[in-house]
């Protein structure tokens, strides 16, 4: 075999192993997998997200959307869609510190900055998806469809995460039997996939949604019960952020000095996020140490 033919044979052998480059979304820092495509994501800071080639088209209905609470109390949480997956964490992983993420709803966005500041010399902590406004990871249906994208940085870097704290529930507020079974199955799907990452896991119970609780709807408690059953069966640490809030504000409340607005709904002001962030930071410290 001539030298040229030898080199050609080696190149032919190697070509199938060359990984295609991610696709850049316009001139932004958001990229999508080579077999996916860029799409408009309302809550993404770059306005872009990804449609994944292997995206699972789950659909989920919520009683909250049909007006099962007083409209004067609050608007429902905004719902990111599974048609366009939000980008993963904004920053590339650290080479010197443990890499950790908080994967969850808009409440978790509110306290992530507090946690990151408290742990700045112990870990590089980020939120996933990359969202600094609202929506976060959305419902479990979005989590199932978009988890692969949430676990990569927005530049599509695969990261070996050291700790992942996750939460789903605030966007799944429907406690009829079929919806609860959907929540259980989809949360189990997400949990099993996160276990395969090898990261240490922690689940944060969903914080209160008082517009429903004050009219006797126990959906948050019901979903937290389901989540507790799953996490306990898998040996995953549970952080009860629901209790952190109710210990301060009361089990039923329409006013509280932690609420962003009154009547209280589901978002918090700086005092509330500082308290939630402190609880989360302490939980992370226990695992890191």
């Amino acid at each position: 075999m001539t030298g040229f033919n030898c080199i050609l044979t080696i190149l032919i052998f190697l070509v199938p192993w060359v990984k295609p480059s991610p696709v850049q979304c316009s001139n932004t820092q958001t990229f999508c997998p080579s077999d996916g495509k860029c799409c408009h994501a309302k809550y993404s800071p770059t306005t872009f997200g990804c449609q994944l080639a292997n995206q699972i088209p789950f659909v989920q209905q919520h009683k909250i959307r049909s007006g099962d609470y007083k409209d004067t109390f609050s608007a429902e949480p905004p719902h990111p869609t599974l048609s366009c997956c939000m980008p993963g964490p904004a920053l590339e992983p650290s080479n010197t510190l443990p890499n950790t993420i908080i994967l969850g709803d808009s409440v978790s966005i509110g306290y992530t900055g507090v946690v990151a500041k408290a742990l700045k010399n112990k870990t590089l902590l980020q939120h996933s998806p990359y969202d600094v406004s609202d929506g976060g990871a959305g419902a479990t249906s979005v989590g199932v469809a978009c988890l692969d994208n949430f676990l990569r940085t927005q530049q599509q870097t695969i990261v070996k995460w050291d700790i992942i704290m996750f939460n789903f529930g605030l966007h799944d507020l429907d406690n009829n039997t079929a919806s609860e079974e959907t929540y259980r199955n989809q949360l189990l799907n997400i949990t099993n996939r996160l276990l395969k990452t090898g990261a240490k896991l922690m689940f944060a119970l969903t914080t209160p949604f008082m517009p429903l609780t004050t009219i006797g709807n126990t959906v948050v408690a019901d979903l937290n019960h389901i989540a507790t059953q799953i996490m306990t069966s898998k040996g995953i640490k549970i952080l009860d952020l629901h209790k952190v809030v109710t210990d301060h504000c009361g089990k039923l409340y329409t006013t509280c000095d932690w609420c962003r607005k009154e009547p209280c709904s589901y978002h918090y002001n700086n005092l509330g996020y500082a308290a939630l962030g402190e609880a989360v930071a302490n939980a992370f410290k226990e695992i890191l140490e």
Side-chain angles (χ1 to χ4, degrees), residues 89-164:
L91 304 177
E92 292 299 279
S94 171
N95 294 320
T96 58
L97 293 172
N99 290 287
T100 56
I101 53 171
I102 293 173
L103 196 165
D105 56 30
S106 55
V107 173
S108 68
I109 295 171
Y111 58 68
T112 292
V114 176
V115 182
K117 184 176 180 180
L119 302 177
K120 65 179 180 179
N121 296 321
K122 297 179 180 294
T123 179
L124 174 60
L125 181 135
Q126 303 188 68
H127 191 275
S128 186
Y130 180 31
D131 178 353
V132 295
S133 56
D134 231 336
T140 50
S141 56
V142 179
V144 169
C146 299
L147 187 62
D148 292 347
N149 210 52
F150 292 167
L151 291 177
R152 300 184 179 196
T153 70
Q154 70 162 336
Q155 294 190 28
Q156 292 298 312
T157 300
I158 298 173
V159 182
K160 181 172 174 52
W161 298 106
D162 294 284
I163 304 173
I164 300 173

Side-chain angles (χ1 to χ4, degrees), residues 169-188:
L170 191 60
H171 296 266
D172 299 88
L173 298 178
D174 190 338
N175 53 354
N176 67 48
T177 302
S179 294
E180 286 193 353
E181 191 62 21
T182 298
Y183 176 78
R184 182 188 298 277
N185 291 337
Q186 292 180 350
L187 184 58
L188 186 59

Side-chain angles (χ1 to χ4, degrees), residues 80-91:
T81 66
L82 51 78
S83 62
C84 186
C85 295
M86 296 275 286
L91 304 177

Side-chain angles (χ1 to χ4, degrees), residues 30-100:
T30 296
F31 289 73
C32 292
S34 58
D35 58 353
K37 61 181 180 180
C38 300
C39 51
H40 175 70
K42 180 178 180 180
Y43 301 110
S44 166
T46 67
T47 74
F48 286 101
C50 302
Q51 286 183 345
L52 308 181
N54 61 344
Q55 209 159 299
I56 303 170
F58 277 124
V59 177
Q60 203 159 357
Q61 298 298 323
H62 305 277
K63 187 185 294 184
I64 187 173
R65 294 177 180 175
S66 63
D68 189 23
Y69 63 96
K70 296 178 181 178
D71 289 337
T72 53
F73 270 46
S74 169
E76 63 178 278
H79 298 283
T81 66
L82 51 78
S83 62
C84 186
C85 295
M86 296 275 286
L91 304 177
E92 292 299 279
S94 171
N95 294 320
T96 58
L97 293 172
N99 290 287
T100 56

Side-chain angles (χ1 to χ4, degrees), residues 18 25 33 39 52 62 64 77 80 117 122 129 156 161 176 193-195 207 226 243 245 275-276:
V18 175
C25 298
C39 51
L52 308 181
H62 305 277
I64 187 173
K117 184 176 180 180
K122 297 179 180 294
Q156 292 298 312
W161 298 106
N176 67 48
R193 289 161 67 187
L194 289 176
L195 282 167
T207 48
I226 292 170
K243 187 175 185 297
V245 176
L276 289 167

Side-chain angles (χ1 to χ4, degrees), residues 186-212:
Q186 292 180 350
L187 184 58
L188 186 59
N189 175 295
I190 293 165
T191 302
N192 286 335
R193 289 161 67 187
L194 289 176
L195 282 167
K196 290 179 181 178
T197 67
K200 294 178 181 178
L201 301 182
M202 174 168 52
F203 186 84
L205 294 183
T206 300
T207 48
F209 188 85
M210 279 298 142
L212 288 176

